[in-house]
Amino acid sequence: MGKHYDLIVVGGGPGGIASAVEASIFGLQKILFIEKGDNHSQTIRQYYKDAKRVDKDWQGQTVDMEGNVEFFDGTKESTLEYFELLLDDEKIDTLFECEVDRVIKEEDLFSVVTPKGDFTAPNVIVSIGRMGKPNKPSYKIPASIKKVVNFNPYECRGNEKILVVGGGDSAVEYACQLSTINNVTLSYRRESFARINDINREMVERYDQEERLRVRYGIDIDSIENAEGKVKVNYNNGFHTIYDRVIYALGGTTPVDFFRKSNMVLDEHDLPVINEKYETSVKGLYTAGDIVYKSGGSIAMAINHAYHILKDITGEDGGMG
Ligand SMILES: Cc1cc2nc3c(=O)[nH]c(=O)nc-3n(C[C@H](O)[C@H](O)[C@H](O)COP(=O)(O)OP(=O)(O)OC[C@H]3O[C@@H](n4cnc5c(N)ncnc54)[C@H](O)[C@@H]3O)c2cc1C
């Protein structure tokens, strides 16, 4: 698989599928379609019951199809089969089981950063839906301390004693970033960081050596408790420590994480600010599908976004004008 594309589509649901298909119809030659699940349309596969009726005008949202990709009422199964056929296009390279970490603009090209390597393109469409979930620890998080047990760093206000749990790039980036205005410990259950990139490895080792933060390797957590509104962390070596806040960075990105890492300007609902062409604050980086809205959205709406985005990218009407 080559590493440079005319367009990269991140997220393999209806918005992503329609984006890749419209791109092919609009004449782009090399399109990369990246999905974190083992197949396209994870929201439909995971959240729709078998044989569920799929309505085009879902929940009263009447939509006229505007582009080249049609959509009809059907069932979960007929919808998945239809999307399967749409993706059967030789110009579309599909890459499954690949969770995109971020999209970074470097001069005129985007670099799409993934565990399977980086890919470049002049335009990127992000259609990752709103269903992303962070991985959670196996033990219970008491409801009374949920406000100070987080899965990203955005609630931190400074001057806090914080424990960051995890050993990937996000955990390291959160810990280093927070340590400038907080007292931070990074706890990882393995003996060394095996999964992080070289820049983060150098950064966390330097921060640790300079005592800007504390890294505790080879230690696991048995449970957490409420300690007068703070978090008592019970380690598996029999000791415990009390923190103002605990942040788990155990993988499974949420959309807001992704948007922030990709330098998109966000609105008050933590969704990307976009113009009428669905382009974000980063020129050439577009969003389609459910993430265009705070709530609502539908398959047909996501499909329409794709058409308008391709019109904007190519400056053509794709035979629909
Ligand atoms: C129970 C239920 C029933 C519904 N019924 C209907 C209906 O009958 N008709 C209708 O029109 N709509 C229905 N909807 C809404 C519809 O499913 C959504 O509007 C639609 O799926 C939005 O498409 P999307 O492409 O924006 O996002 P999604 O379908 O959520 O797809 C996003 C994809 O991106 C992938 N992804 C996420 N993060 C990354 C990453 N970092 N890297 C790579 N891939 C990533 C996900 O795995 C997923 O496959 C229903 C929704 C639910 C939950």
Side-chain angles (χ1 to χ4, degrees):
M1 190 181 290
K3 290 211 157 194
H4 181 76
Y5 287 85
D6 296 331
L7 176 74
I8 298 175
V9 177
V10 180
I17 295 168
S19 297
V21 172
E22 286 285 11
S24 173
I25 294 169
F26 271 80
L28 302 195
Q29 294 302 313
K30 286 192 75 192
I31 302 145
L32 179 61
F33 171 92
I34 310 181
E35 162 57 46
K36 73 174 175 184
D38 61 1
N39 211 332
H40 63 87
S41 307
Q42 288 299 310
T43 296
I44 295 178
R45 287 176 203 278
Q46 290 177 11
Y47 294 93
Y48 292 20
K49 287 192 199 126
D50 288 349
K52 171 188 151 33
R53 205 192 126 90
V54 176
D55 301 314
K56 175 176 110 13
D57 294 334
W58 191 51
Q59 290 191 324
Q61 306 174 102
T62 309
V63 183
D64 290 328
M65 300 314 295
E66 294 168 316
N68 297 290
V69 178
E70 306 210 41
F71 191 61
F72 316 92
D73 292 342
T75 61
K76 170 180 176 177
E77 291 72 18
S78 70
T79 304
L80 288 174
E81 199 181 318
Y82 170 59
F83 287 154
E84 192 79 40
L85 287 172
L86 285 181
L87 282 174
D88 219 354
D89 178 323
E90 61 182 27
K91 287 192 267 174
I92 304 173
D93 275 352
T94 53
L95 184 55
F96 294 127
E97 298 188 300
C98 183
E99 180 167 359
V100 175
D101 185 61
R102 59 188 179 273
V103 178
I104 298 295
K105 193 163 192 181
E106 288 160 351
E107 299 185 358
D108 286 342
L109 275 188
F110 287 97
S111 191
V112 175
V113 180
T114 88
K116 296 191 175 174
D118 297 355
F119 302 90
T120 55
N123 292 105
V124 175
I125 302 176
V126 175
S127 187
I128 56 175
R130 289 192 304 259
M131 309 300 276
K133 281 198 198 123
N135 295 335
K136 301 206 165 155
S138 53
Y139 44 86
K140 190 172 162 39
I141 299 171
S144 56
I145 46 171
K146 281 209 163 132
K147 271 201 155 122
V148 285
V149 176
N150 310 138
F151 297 89
N152 60 52
Y154 311 124
E155 298 295 318
C156 304
R157 299 285 168 257
N159 293 319
E160 292 182 327
K161 183 170 174 180
I162 297 175
L163 176 70
V164 177
V165 185
D169 284 311
S170 293
V172 166
E173 286 166 18
Y174 293 170
C176 292
Q177 180 192 325
L178 289 169
S179 71
T180 55
I181 51 167
N182 297 281
N183 172 348
V184 174
T185 302
L186 173 60
S187 149
Y188 185 35
R189 63 194 162 92
R190 298 193 195 285
E191 294 299 336
S192 64
F193 294 110
R195 299 186 281 123
I196 60 177
N197 67 44
D198 292 343
I199 295 171
N200 283 338
R201 186 185 309 284
E202 187 279 322
M203 177 168 70
V204 71
E205 281 170 6
R206 184 161 43 81
Y207 274 51
D208 190 19
Q209 292 304 322
E210 292 172 359
E211 296 185 10
R212 290 155 82 172
L213 52 68
R214 190 181 308 107
V215 185
R216 306 188 76 193
Y217 297 99
I219 190 157
D220 218 341
I221 295 170
D222 282 338
S223 63
I224 60 172
E225 297 169 42
N226 182 343
E228 295 176 1
K230 298 190 177 198
V231 191
K232 181 177 172 203
V233 174
N234 299 311
Y235 288 103
N236 64 348
N237 59 4
F239 291 96
H240 71 259
T241 306
I242 293 175
Y243 299 91
D244 295 317
R245 188 182 296 280
V246 173
I247 297 172
Y248 290 97
L250 306 174
T253 38
T254 62
V256 61
D257 249 345
F258 183 96
F259 302 148
R260 287 188 192 255
K261 285 188 188 180
S262 304
N263 298 322
M264 299 180 192
V265 173
L266 305 186
D267 65 15
E268 68 276 21
H269 306 295
D270 279 338
L271 291 171
V273 173
I274 50 171
N275 65 18
E276 68 287 358
K277 312 274 178 50
Y278 306 103
E279 190 176 32
T280 68
S281 56
V282 185
K283 196 165 169 35
L285 180 58
Y286 294 81
T287 59
D290 280 4
I291 54 170
V292 164
Y293 311 105
K294 177 173 148 267
S295 59
S298 72
I299 296 172
M301 290 157 100
I303 292 174
N304 278 349
H305 297 158
Y307 170 63
H308 290 288
I309 294 170
L310 262 301
K311 264 196 350 182
D312 196 49
I313 290 176
T314 60
E316 307 201 351
D317 67 16
M320 304 296 292

